[in-house]
Amino acid sequence: KLFFACLFKIRQTYKGYDFYSYMTIAIVLCSGGIDSVTALYLAKKKYERIIILFFDYGQPQLQGERKAVRHHVKMLNVEFKEIRIILDLYSRTGISKEISLKDLKDTKIECEKYYVPARNLLFLAYAISFAETLKGKLDIVIGFKNEGEEHYPDTSASFVREMNNISRIATKNKPRIIAPLIKKDKEDIILLAKKLGVNLENTFSCYISREVHCGLCLACRLRQEGFYWANVKDKTKYKKLPKDYRSA
């Protein structure tokens, strides 16, 4: 009886009180890859409320990405929103080439085959718009790593700065856009993920396969080399391993 009396008193005291308006909230853009999942786990340690935005833009790897994100949603008990957008802006050609270690020394040409024009600009625009509907201290967390502006200009530090300027000018909530991994390489992120307890088997990096990593595309090769240089065993299931595959 005493418990219920106290509960009733609390309800009466805080009736109409909006707790969400005082919460720290992170909107995390997550594709299910190593980088964005690691950023998600970092955010979970800092923020009281996590909302994942996952984008379906017709990518071939949609099923693998969605499955990976859903796994971590369940593991961390966070909110999930899937957004469908139309991106008929590009045509991926010549992506069946098996990437060798020699090719990884200069990936600029190969990166161009996978570049989706201004994709991250669109994703962040959606995230900023969504943030305007929420109350609380808001940050938008993205898993950009040290890519190099010449490869993917919409993952660079200068791009993040400009998007923050737009957020300050164009919104009432003025959410910050944070890229905690922007100065890190893949092997650094893998080591950080291990410290955070991320199950890296349940991440998805492949550019071309639906559910199982092909093992040969640029993303799969960079994933493999990340594990190698981090000296961490790669437990990823690949359809095929390249001839020059290196294991930690």
Side-chain angles (χ1 to χ4, degrees), residues 200-222:
L200 291 169
E201 292 175 72
N202 288 295
T203 59
F204 196 82
S205 304
C206 189
Y207 284 151
I208 58 179
S209 290
R210 296 181 67 184
E211 293 188 69
V212 180
H213 288 82
C214 74
L216 306 176
C217 71
L218 178 61
C220 284
R221 293 312 318 265
L222 292 173

Side-chain angles (χ1 to χ4, degrees), residues 73-123:
V73 166
K74 185 176 180 180
M75 290 294 294
L76 297 178
N77 190 28
V78 296
E79 299 173 53
F80 173 86
K81 291 185 180 295
E82 180 169 327
I83 297 174
R84 171 79 171 118
I85 57 178
I86 306 299
L87 274 182
D88 295 330
L89 304 175
Y90 66 103
S91 174
R92 292 180 175 179
T93 57
I95 61 174
S96 59
K97 175 186 175 182
E98 181 175 332
I99 305 300
S100 67
L101 290 178
K102 184 179 178 181
D103 294 327
L104 293 180
K105 293 179 180 178
D106 184 3
T107 60
K108 184 177 181 180
I109 294 176
E110 197 64 24
C111 283
E112 291 175 355
K113 299 175 183 177
Y114 301 95
Y115 174 60
V116 182
R119 176 183 62 181
N120 291 316
L121 175 63
L122 292 173
F123 290 174

Side-chain angles (χ1 to χ4, degrees), residues 118-170:
R119 176 183 62 181
N120 291 316
L121 175 63
L122 292 173
F123 290 174
L124 283 172
Y126 272 90
I128 291 169
S129 177
F130 176 60
E132 282 287 83
T133 70
L134 302 173
K135 295 180 180 180
K137 183 182 178 183
L138 291 155
D139 288 335
I140 297 169
V141 179
I142 48 180
F144 296 165
K145 70 178 183 66
N146 184 20
E147 297 278 7
E149 193 164 345
E150 69 279 5
H151 291 166
Y152 298 112
D154 62 348
T155 64
S156 64
S158 59
F159 170 73
V160 174
R161 284 195 299 271
E162 292 304 318
M163 288 304 295
N164 270 303
N165 288 335
I166 290 172
S167 178
R168 282 191 292 270
I169 294 168

